[in-house]
Structure formats: structure tokens, C-alpha cells
Amino acid sequence: MTSIPLLPLFPLNTVFYPDGHLPLQIFEVRYLDMIRKCIATDTPFGVVGLLQGSEVRKPGQQEHFAEVGTMAYIENWLSPQPALMQLSCRGGQRFRILSRARQANGLWLAEVELIDPDTVLAIPSELQDVADALGTLIRSLQERAIAPDQMPISAPFRLDECDWVANRWCELLDLRQDQRQRLLEQPSPLVRLELVQDLLNEQDWLG
């Protein structure tokens, strides 16, 4: 595993997954400065799930966030106003926080250890219904002529890979923050897909 010092963190009320799509609107000074530096140096920032506190800084408020997050790579950005940036980010590798420190402006910097990417595994026959249901959902969105940049799932569609299918369902399903975080931290893509199948059955997605 690779250690990366001083990764800027963006705590959010969501859990970001590898290969996921994340649109963001940035207006706080600490994050505007962070994003501008990431763009200038072509470097990622880290997204971590908030466990306590608010995305917007408030006086006297403490932020507590998960120890495992995901690298966010900026693919497109727009600054319609001086104090507003609109981003489109794609998820990279997961990471584990080794140490952290909050700067005077409220920005968190962390030394992190990258987690090895999931092993690419083909969808086993007993879990094929999970991939088929996701394929049906993607086709229904395409038939509605939704623009690619407005789709909740970005191409390429790897419907034959356990990790990709599991991660997309983790983003789409109605789950609690702690459920999403446990699924992100699950080291086996096969087990993650099995857990997703159970959740799909509970929520009547598989009929």
C-alpha cells in the first residue's frame, strides 16, 4: 500500500465509491482554495463520509468523519461566479486515514494509505440478477434521453464485474450512511455484491 501525505479532505453527507460520479457545488473559502490548488496541480482530494457535524462550517461545531474514504479526481469544472465552482468528479482508489490535522481555515489535511483496488471478478451465476437489474435501470435512463453528464451512473458500464456493479447499487439504493460506509470498507467485492443482492431483495428490486 502507498502512503500519501497531506491529502486535502472534503467531508460529505454521502459515501463516494471508486468509479462513481460526484457533482459538487463549492462556495466555502476553504474548499474554493483547495479545489483551485487541485486544478492547478492536477491532483485529487479525498472524500470522506461525515459521521457528525455539517458539511458547512459552523462556529463551535466539531466534525467527525470516517477513517476510510475515496480519492476524487476533477474531470470538469466551471466557475460561473467568483465565489462559486461547479465540479464533476470521478472516484479513484479508496484510502485509509493514518493521521489528520485541521488548518486555521478549517480545511482538513491527512496522511493516508491507499487501499489496493478491488480484484476484478466476473459476476457469478447466482448473482447475475443483480447485474441484470442494473442493466435494465441503465437502459431505462438512456431511453428517457437523459444527457450523459446528468446520468447518476457514468460510462463505461462494466456490468460483468462484481465491484463495479456492487458499487453502483451502493450509490443508488436507499441506505443509511453507516450502511454505505460498511459496504465501502468491505474488502471483498464478491461479498459486497452478495450484501447488495440481499438489500435489493429487501427493497423489492429483484421481483
Side-chain angles (χ1 to χ4, degrees), residues 97-173:
I97 294 173
L98 301 176
S99 64
R100 71 187 79 179
R102 186 165 63 179
Q103 308 303 292
N105 66 353
L107 180 69
W108 287 93
L109 298 177
E111 179 185 4
V112 305
E113 180 180 62
L114 291 178
I115 298 172
D116 292 336
D118 283 327
T119 301
V120 177
L121 298 175
I123 305 285
S125 58
E126 64 271 19
L127 296 173
Q128 186 60 46
D129 57 349
V130 180
D132 291 344
L134 185 60
T136 298
L137 177 60
I138 291 171
R139 284 192 297 274
S140 70
L141 293 171
Q142 292 173 327
E143 289 168 358
R144 288 160 54 188
I146 296 175
D149 61 346
Q150 299 298 315
M151 288 271 285
I153 307 172
S154 298
F157 306 129
R158 305 202 309 267
L159 290 164
D160 57 345
E161 297 178 13
C162 285
D163 62 324
W164 192 89
V165 171
N167 289 346
R168 302 294 73 77
W169 275 121
C170 289
E171 296 163 346
L172 294 167
L173 285 169

Coordinates of all heavy atoms in Angstrom, one line a residue, residues 97-173:
I97 N -7.2 6.8 6.5 CA -6.5 7.9 7.1 C -5.6 7.4 8.2 O -5.9 6.6 9.1 CB -7.5 8.8 7.8 CG1 -8.4 9.5 6.7 CG2 -6.8 9.9 8.6 CD1 -9.5 10.3 7.2
L98 N -4.3 7.8 8.1 CA -3.3 7.5 9.1 C -3.2 8.6 10.2 O -3.0 8.3 11.4 CB -2.0 7.3 8.5 CG -1.9 6.2 7.4 CD1 -0.5 6.1 6.7 CD2 -2.3 4.8 8.0
S99 N -3.3 9.8 9.8 CA -3.2 11.0 10.7 C -3.9 12.1 10.0 O -4.0 12.2 8.8 CB -1.8 11.3 11.1 OG -1.0 11.7 10.0
R100 N -4.3 13.1 10.8 CA -5.0 14.2 10.2 C -4.8 15.5 11.1 O -4.4 15.4 12.3 CB -6.5 14.0 10.2 CG -7.2 14.0 11.6 CD -8.6 13.5 11.6 NE -8.7 12.1 11.5 CZ -9.9 11.5 11.5 NH1 -11.0 12.1 11.6 NH2 -9.9 10.1 11.5
A101 N -5.0 16.6 10.5 CA -4.8 17.9 11.2 C -5.7 18.9 10.5 O -5.8 19.0 9.2 CB -3.4 18.4 11.2
R102 N -6.4 19.8 11.3 CA -7.2 20.8 10.7 C -6.5 22.1 10.7 O -5.9 22.5 11.6 CB -8.5 21.0 11.5 CG -9.5 21.9 10.9 CD -10.9 21.8 11.4 NE -10.9 22.2 12.9 CZ -12.1 22.2 13.6 NH1 -13.2 21.8 13.0 NH2 -12.0 22.5 14.9
Q103 N -6.5 22.8 9.5 CA -5.8 24.0 9.3 C -6.6 25.2 9.9 O -7.8 25.0 10.3 CB -5.6 24.3 7.8 CG -4.9 23.1 7.1 CD -3.6 22.7 7.7 OE1 -2.6 23.5 7.7 NE2 -3.5 21.6 8.3
A104 N -6.0 26.4 10.0 CA -6.7 27.5 10.6 C -8.0 27.9 9.8 O -8.9 28.4 10.4 CB -5.7 28.7 10.6
N105 N -8.0 27.6 8.5 CA -9.2 28.0 7.8 C -10.3 26.9 7.8 O -11.3 27.0 7.2 CB -8.8 28.3 6.3 CG -8.3 27.0 5.6 OD1 -8.1 26.0 6.2 ND2 -8.1 27.2 4.2
G106 N -10.0 25.8 8.6 CA -11.0 24.7 8.7 C -10.8 23.6 7.8 O -11.5 22.5 7.9
L107 N -9.8 23.7 6.9 CA -9.6 22.6 5.9 C -8.8 21.4 6.6 O -7.8 21.7 7.3 CB -8.8 23.1 4.7 CG -8.5 22.0 3.7 CD1 -9.7 21.6 2.9 CD2 -7.4 22.5 2.7
W108 N -9.2 20.2 6.4 CA -8.5 19.1 7.0 C -7.5 18.5 6.0 O -7.8 18.4 4.8 CB -9.5 17.9 7.3 CG -10.4 18.2 8.5 CD1 -11.6 18.7 8.5 CD2 -10.0 17.8 9.9 NE1 -12.1 18.8 9.8 CE2 -11.1 18.2 10.7 CE3 -8.9 17.3 10.5 CZ2 -11.2 18.1 12.0 CZ3 -9.0 17.1 11.9 CH2 -10.1 17.5 12.6
L109 N -6.3 18.3 6.5 CA -5.3 17.6 5.7 C -4.9 16.3 6.4 O -4.9 16.2 7.6 CB -4.0 18.5 5.6 CG -4.1 19.8 4.9 CD1 -2.8 20.6 4.9 CD2 -4.6 19.6 3.4
A110 N -4.7 15.3 5.6 CA -4.4 14.0 6.2 C -3.3 13.2 5.5 O -3.1 13.4 4.3 CB -5.7 13.1 6.2
E111 N -2.6 12.4 6.3 CA -1.7 11.4 5.7 C -2.5 10.2 5.5 O -3.2 9.7 6.4 CB -0.5 11.1 6.6 CG 0.4 10.0 6.0 CD 1.6 9.6 6.9 OE1 1.6 10.1 8.0 OE2 2.4 8.8 6.5
V112 N -2.6 9.6 4.3 CA -3.4 8.5 4.0 C -2.7 7.4 3.4 O -1.6 7.6 2.8 CB -4.6 8.9 3.1 CG1 -5.4 10.0 3.7 CG2 -4.2 9.2 1.7
E113 N -3.2 6.2 3.5 CA -2.7 5.0 2.9 C -3.7 4.5 1.9 O -4.8 4.3 2.2 CB -2.5 3.9 4.0 CG -1.9 2.6 3.5 CD -1.7 1.6 4.7 OE1 -2.8 1.3 5.3 OE2 -0.6 1.2 5.0
L114 N -3.2 4.4 0.6 CA -4.1 3.9 -0.4 C -4.4 2.4 -0.2 O -3.6 1.6 0.1 CB -3.5 4.1 -1.8 CG -3.3 5.5 -2.3 CD1 -2.7 5.6 -3.6 CD2 -4.7 6.2 -2.4
I115 N -5.7 2.1 -0.4 CA -6.1 0.7 -0.3 C -6.1 0.1 -1.7 O -6.5 0.7 -2.7 CB -7.6 0.6 0.2 CG1 -7.6 1.1 1.7 CG2 -8.1 -0.8 0.2 CD1 -9.0 1.3 2.2
D116 N -5.5 -1.1 -1.8 CA -5.4 -1.7 -3.2 C -6.8 -1.8 -3.8 O -7.8 -2.1 -3.2 CB -4.8 -3.1 -3.0 CG -3.4 -3.1 -2.6 OD1 -2.7 -2.1 -2.8 OD2 -2.9 -4.1 -2.0
P117 N -6.8 -1.6 -5.2 CA -8.1 -1.7 -5.9 C -8.7 -3.1 -5.7 O -8.0 -4.1 -5.5 CB -7.7 -1.4 -7.3 CG -6.4 -0.6 -7.3 CD -5.7 -1.2 -6.0
D118 N -10.0 -3.2 -5.8 CA -10.7 -4.5 -5.8 C -10.2 -5.4 -6.9 O -9.9 -4.9 -8.0 CB -12.2 -4.3 -6.0 CG -12.9 -3.8 -4.7 OD1 -12.4 -4.1 -3.6 OD2 -13.9 -3.1 -4.9
T119 N -10.1 -6.6 -6.6 CA -9.7 -7.6 -7.6 C -10.9 -7.7 -8.6 O -12.1 -7.7 -8.2 CB -9.5 -9.0 -7.0 OG1 -8.5 -8.9 -6.0 CG2 -9.2 -10.1 -8.0
V120 N -10.6 -7.7 -9.9 CA -11.7 -7.8 -10.9 C -12.2 -9.3 -10.9 O -11.5 -10.2 -11.2 CB -11.2 -7.4 -12.3 CG1 -12.3 -7.6 -13.3 CG2 -10.7 -6.0 -12.2
L121 N -13.5 -9.4 -10.6 CA -14.1 -10.7 -10.5 C -15.3 -10.7 -11.4 O -16.1 -9.8 -11.4 CB -14.5 -11.1 -9.1 CG -13.4 -11.2 -8.1 CD1 -14.0 -11.5 -6.7 CD2 -12.5 -12.4 -8.4
A122 N -15.5 -11.8 -12.2 CA -16.7 -11.9 -13.0 C -17.9 -12.2 -12.2 O -17.8 -12.7 -11.0 CB -16.5 -13.1 -14.0
I123 N -19.1 -11.8 -12.7 CA -20.3 -12.0 -11.9 C -20.7 -13.4 -11.9 O -20.8 -14.1 -12.9 CB -21.5 -11.2 -12.6 CG1 -21.2 -9.7 -12.7 CG2 -22.8 -11.4 -11.8 CD1 -21.2 -8.9 -11.5
P124 N -20.8 -14.1 -10.7 CA -21.2 -15.5 -10.7 C -22.7 -15.6 -11.0 O -23.5 -14.7 -10.9 CB -20.9 -15.9 -9.2 CG -21.0 -14.6 -8.4 CD -20.5 -13.5 -9.4
S125 N -23.1 -16.8 -11.5 CA -24.4 -17.0 -12.0 C -25.5 -16.7 -10.9 O -26.5 -16.2 -11.2 CB -24.6 -18.5 -12.5 OG -24.3 -19.4 -11.4
E126 N -25.2 -17.0 -9.6 CA -26.2 -16.8 -8.6 C -26.4 -15.3 -8.2 O -27.3 -15.0 -7.5 CB -25.8 -17.6 -7.3 CG -24.5 -17.1 -6.7 CD -23.3 -17.9 -7.2 OE1 -23.3 -18.4 -8.3 OE2 -22.2 -17.9 -6.5
L127 N -25.5 -14.5 -8.8 CA -25.7 -13.0 -8.6 C -25.9 -12.3 -9.9 O -26.0 -11.0 -9.9 CB -24.4 -12.5 -7.9 CG -24.0 -13.0 -6.5 CD1 -22.7 -12.5 -6.1 CD2 -25.1 -12.6 -5.5
Q128 N -26.2 -13.0 -10.9 CA -26.4 -12.3 -12.2 C -27.6 -11.4 -12.2 O -27.7 -10.4 -13.0 CB -26.6 -13.4 -13.3 CG -26.6 -12.9 -14.8 CD -25.4 -12.0 -15.2 OE1 -24.3 -12.5 -14.9 NE2 -25.6 -10.9 -15.7
D129 N -28.6 -11.8 -11.4 CA -29.8 -10.9 -11.4 C -29.5 -9.5 -10.9 O -30.2 -8.6 -11.3 CB -30.9 -11.6 -10.5 CG -30.5 -11.9 -9.0 OD1 -29.3 -11.8 -8.8 OD2 -31.3 -12.2 -8.2
V130 N -28.5 -9.4 -10.1 CA -28.1 -8.0 -9.6 C -27.6 -7.2 -10.8 O -28.0 -6.0 -10.9 CB -27.0 -8.1 -8.5 CG1 -26.6 -6.8 -8.0 CG2 -27.6 -9.0 -7.3
A131 N -26.7 -7.8 -11.6 CA -26.2 -7.1 -12.8 C -27.3 -6.8 -13.8 O -27.3 -5.8 -14.4 CB -25.1 -7.9 -13.4
D132 N -28.2 -7.8 -14.0 CA -29.3 -7.7 -15.0 C -30.2 -6.5 -14.6 O -30.6 -5.7 -15.4 CB -30.1 -8.9 -15.1 CG -29.3 -10.1 -15.7 OD1 -28.3 -9.8 -16.4 OD2 -29.7 -11.2 -15.6
A133 N -30.5 -6.4 -13.3 CA -31.4 -5.3 -12.8 C -30.7 -3.9 -13.0 O -31.4 -3.0 -13.4 CB -31.7 -5.5 -11.3
L134 N -29.4 -3.9 -12.8 CA -28.7 -2.6 -13.0 C -28.7 -2.3 -14.5 O -28.9 -1.1 -14.9 CB -27.3 -2.7 -12.5 CG -26.5 -1.4 -12.6 CD1 -27.1 -0.3 -11.8 CD2 -25.0 -1.6 -12.1
G135 N -28.5 -3.3 -15.4 CA -28.5 -3.1 -16.8 C -29.9 -2.5 -17.3 O -30.0 -1.6 -18.1
T136 N -30.9 -3.1 -16.7 CA -32.3 -2.6 -17.0 C -32.5 -1.2 -16.6 O -33.1 -0.4 -17.4 CB -33.3 -3.5 -16.3 OG1 -33.2 -4.9 -16.8 CG2 -34.8 -3.1 -16.6
L137 N -32.0 -0.8 -15.4 CA -32.1 0.5 -15.0 C -31.4 1.5 -15.9 O -31.9 2.6 -16.2 CB -31.6 0.6 -13.5 CG -31.6 2.0 -12.9 CD1 -33.0 2.6 -12.9 CD2 -31.0 2.0 -11.5
I138 N -30.1 1.1 -16.3 CA -29.4 2.0 -17.2 C -30.1 2.2 -18.5 O -30.2 3.3 -19.0 CB -28.0 1.4 -17.4 CG1 -27.1 1.5 -16.1 CG2 -27.2 2.1 -18.5 CD1 -25.8 0.7 -16.1
R139 N -30.6 1.1 -19.0 CA -31.3 1.2 -20.3 C -32.6 2.1 -20.2 O -32.9 2.9 -21.1 CB -31.8 -0.2 -20.8 CG -30.6 -1.0 -21.4 CD -31.1 -2.2 -22.2 NE -31.8 -3.1 -21.3 CZ -31.1 -4.1 -20.5 NH1 -29.8 -4.2 -20.6 NH2 -31.8 -4.9 -19.8
S140 N -33.3 2.0 -19.1 CA -34.4 2.9 -18.9 C -34.1 4.4 -18.8 O -34.8 5.2 -19.3 CB -35.2 2.5 -17.6 OG -34.5 2.8 -16.5
L141 N -32.9 4.7 -18.2 CA -32.4 6.0 -18.2 C -32.0 6.5 -19.5 O -32.3 7.7 -19.9 CB -31.3 6.1 -17.2 CG -31.6 5.9 -15.7 CD1 -30.3 5.8 -14.9 CD2 -32.5 7.0 -15.1
Q142 N -31.4 5.7 -20.3 CA -31.0 6.0 -21.7 C -32.2 6.3 -22.6 O -32.2 7.2 -23.4 CB -30.1 4.9 -22.2 CG -28.7 4.8 -21.6 CD -27.9 3.6 -22.0 OE1 -28.5 2.6 -22.4 NE2 -26.6 3.8 -22.1
E143 N -33.2 5.5 -22.4 CA -34.4 5.6 -23.2 C -35.2 6.9 -22.9 O -35.9 7.4 -23.8 CB -35.4 4.4 -23.0 CG -34.8 3.1 -23.6 CD -35.6 1.9 -23.1 OE1 -36.5 2.1 -22.3 OE2 -35.3 0.8 -23.6
R144 N -34.9 7.5 -21.7 CA -35.5 8.8 -21.4 C -34.7 9.9 -21.9 O -35.0 11.1 -21.6 CB -35.7 8.9 -19.9 CG -36.8 8.0 -19.3 CD -36.6 7.7 -17.8 NE -36.5 8.9 -17.1 CZ -36.2 8.9 -15.8 NH1 -36.0 7.8 -15.1 NH2 -36.2 10.1 -15.1
A145 N -33.6 9.6 -22.7 CA -32.8 10.6 -23.3 C -32.1 11.5 -22.3 O -32.0 12.7 -22.6 CB -33.6 11.4 -24.4
I146 N -31.7 11.0 -21.2 CA -31.0 11.8 -20.2 C -29.6 12.0 -20.7 O -28.9 11.1 -21.1 CB -31.0 11.1 -18.8 CG1 -32.5 11.0 -18.3 CG2 -30.2 11.8 -17.8 CD1 -32.6 10.2 -17.0
A147 N -29.2 13.3 -20.6 CA -27.8 13.6 -21.1 C -26.8 12.8 -20.2 O -27.0 12.6 -19.0 CB -27.6 15.1 -20.9
P148 N -25.7 12.4 -20.9 CA -24.7 11.6 -20.1 C -24.2 12.3 -18.9 O -23.9 11.6 -17.9 CB -23.5 11.4 -21.2 CG -24.2 11.5 -22.5 CD -25.4 12.5 -22.3
D149 N -24.0 13.6 -18.9 CA -23.5 14.3 -17.7 C -24.6 14.4 -16.6 O -24.2 14.8 -15.5 CB -22.9 15.7 -18.1 CG -24.0 16.6 -18.7 OD1 -25.0 16.1 -19.1 OD2 -23.7 17.8 -18.7
Q150 N -25.8 14.1 -16.9 CA -26.9 14.1 -15.9 C -27.2 12.7 -15.4 O -28.0 12.6 -14.5 CB -28.1 14.7 -16.5 CG -28.0 16.2 -17.0 CD -27.6 17.1 -15.8 OE1 -28.2 17.0 -14.8 NE2 -26.6 18.0 -16.1
M151 N -26.6 11.7 -16.0 CA -26.8 10.3 -15.5 C -26.2 10.1 -14.2 O -25.1 10.5 -13.9 CB -26.2 9.3 -16.5 CG -27.0 9.3 -17.9 SD -28.3 8.0 -17.8 CE -27.4 6.5 -17.9
P152 N -26.9 9.3 -13.3 CA -26.3 9.0 -12.0 C -25.2 8.0 -12.1 O -24.5 7.8 -11.1 CB -27.5 8.5 -11.2 CG -28.4 7.9 -12.2 CD -28.3 8.8 -13.4
I153 N -25.1 7.3 -13.3 CA -24.1 6.3 -13.5 C -23.3 6.7 -14.8 O -23.9 6.9 -15.8 CB -24.7 4.9 -13.7 CG1 -25.6 4.6 -12.5 CG2 -23.6 3.8 -13.8 CD1 -26.4 3.3 -12.7
S154 N -22.0 6.7 -14.7 CA -21.2 7.1 -15.8 C -20.6 5.9 -16.6 O -20.3 4.9 -15.9 CB -20.0 8.0 -15.4 OG -20.5 9.2 -14.8
A155 N -20.6 6.0 -17.9 CA -19.9 5.0 -18.7 C -18.4 5.1 -18.5 O -17.9 6.1 -18.0 CB -20.2 5.3 -20.2
P156 N -17.7 4.0 -18.7 CA -18.1 2.7 -19.3 C -18.8 1.9 -18.3 O -18.5 1.9 -17.1 CB -16.8 2.1 -19.7 CG -15.8 2.6 -18.8 CD -16.2 4.0 -18.5
F157 N -19.9 1.1 -18.8 CA -20.7 0.3 -17.9 C -20.1 -1.1 -17.9 O -20.1 -1.8 -18.8 CB -22.1 0.3 -18.5 CG -22.7 1.6 -18.7 CD1 -23.3 2.0 -19.9 CD2 -22.7 2.6 -17.7 CE1 -23.9 3.2 -20.1 CE2 -23.3 3.8 -17.8 CZ -23.9 4.2 -19.1
R158 N -19.5 -1.4 -16.7 CA -18.8 -2.7 -16.6 C -19.8 -3.7 -15.8 O -19.6 -4.1 -14.7 CB -17.5 -2.5 -15.8 CG -16.6 -1.5 -16.5 CD -15.2 -1.6 -16.1 NE -14.9 -1.7 -14.7 CZ -14.6 -0.7 -13.9 NH1 -14.6 0.5 -14.4 NH2 -14.4 -0.9 -12.6
L159 N -20.8 -4.1 -16.5 CA -21.9 -4.9 -15.9 C -21.4 -6.4 -15.7 O -22.2 -7.2 -15.2 CB -23.1 -4.9 -16.8 CG -23.8 -3.5 -16.8 CD1 -24.8 -3.5 -18.0 CD2 -24.6 -3.3 -15.5
D160 N -20.2 -6.7 -16.1 CA -19.7 -8.1 -15.9 C -18.7 -8.2 -14.7 O -18.1 -9.2 -14.5 CB -19.1 -8.6 -17.2 CG -17.9 -7.7 -17.7 OD1 -17.8 -6.6 -17.2 OD2 -17.2 -8.2 -18.5
E161 N -18.6 -7.1 -14.0 CA -17.6 -7.1 -12.9 C -18.3 -6.8 -11.5 O -19.1 -5.9 -11.4 CB -16.5 -6.0 -13.1 CG -15.7 -6.2 -14.4 CD -14.7 -5.1 -14.7 OE1 -14.5 -4.3 -13.7 OE2 -14.2 -5.0 -15.8
C162 N -17.9 -7.7 -10.6 CA -18.6 -7.6 -9.2 C -18.4 -6.3 -8.6 O -19.4 -5.7 -8.1 CB -18.0 -8.7 -8.3 SG -18.5 -10.4 -8.7
D163 N -17.2 -5.7 -8.6 CA -17.0 -4.5 -7.8 C -17.8 -3.3 -8.4 O -18.4 -2.5 -7.7 CB -15.5 -4.1 -7.7 CG -14.9 -3.9 -9.1 OD1 -15.2 -4.6 -10.0 OD2 -14.0 -3.1 -9.2
W164 N -17.8 -3.2 -9.8 CA -18.4 -2.1 -10.4 C -20.0 -2.2 -10.2 O -20.6 -1.1 -9.8 CB -18.1 -2.1 -11.9 CG -18.5 -0.8 -12.6 CD1 -17.8 0.3 -12.7 CD2 -19.8 -0.5 -13.2 NE1 -18.5 1.3 -13.4 CE2 -19.8 0.8 -13.7 CE3 -21.0 -1.3 -13.4 CZ2 -20.8 1.4 -14.3 CZ3 -22.1 -0.7 -14.0 CH2 -22.0 0.6 -14.5
V165 N -20.5 -3.3 -10.4 CA -22.0 -3.5 -10.2 C -22.4 -3.2 -8.7 O -23.3 -2.5 -8.4 CB -22.4 -4.9 -10.6 CG1 -23.9 -5.1 -10.2 CG2 -22.3 -5.1 -12.1
A166 N -21.6 -3.8 -7.8 CA -21.9 -3.6 -6.4 C -21.8 -2.1 -6.0 O -22.7 -1.5 -5.3 CB -21.0 -4.4 -5.5
N167 N -20.8 -1.4 -6.5 CA -20.6 0.0 -6.1 C -21.7 0.9 -6.6 O -22.1 1.8 -6.0 CB -19.2 0.5 -6.6 CG -18.1 -0.1 -5.8 OD1 -18.3 -0.7 -4.7 ND2 -16.9 0.0 -6.3
R168 N -22.1 0.6 -7.9 CA -23.2 1.4 -8.4 C -24.5 1.3 -7.6 O -25.2 2.2 -7.4 CB -23.4 1.1 -9.9 CG -22.2 1.3 -10.8 CD -21.7 2.7 -10.9 NE -21.0 3.2 -9.8 CZ -19.7 2.9 -9.4 NH1 -19.0 2.1 -10.1 NH2 -19.2 3.5 -8.4
W169 N -24.8 0.0 -7.2 CA -26.0 -0.2 -6.4 C -25.9 0.5 -5.1 O -26.8 1.0 -4.5 CB -26.3 -1.6 -6.3 CG -27.1 -2.2 -7.4 CD1 -26.7 -3.3 -8.2 CD2 -28.4 -1.9 -7.9 NE1 -27.7 -3.6 -9.1 CE2 -28.8 -2.7 -8.9 CE3 -29.3 -0.9 -7.5 CZ2 -30.0 -2.6 -9.6 CZ3 -30.5 -0.8 -8.1 CH2 -30.8 -1.6 -9.2
C170 N -24.7 0.5 -4.5 CA -24.5 1.1 -3.2 C -24.8 2.6 -3.3 O -25.3 3.2 -2.3 CB -23.0 0.9 -2.8 SG -22.6 -0.7 -2.2
E171 N -24.5 3.2 -4.4 CA -24.8 4.6 -4.6 C -26.3 4.9 -4.8 O -26.8 5.9 -4.4 CB -24.1 5.2 -5.9 CG -22.5 5.2 -5.7 CD -21.8 5.3 -7.0 OE1 -22.4 5.1 -8.1 OE2 -20.6 5.5 -7.0
L172 N -27.0 3.9 -5.5 CA -28.4 4.1 -5.9 C -29.4 3.7 -4.8 O -30.5 4.4 -4.8 CB -28.7 3.3 -7.2 CG -27.9 3.7 -8.4 CD1 -28.0 2.7 -9.5 CD2 -28.5 5.1 -8.9
L173 N -29.1 2.8 -4.0 CA -30.0 2.3 -3.0 C -30.3 3.3 -1.9 O -29.4 4.1 -1.6 CB -29.6 0.9 -2.5 CG -29.7 -0.3 -3.4 CD1 -29.0 -1.5 -2.8 CD2 -31.2 -0.6 -3.6

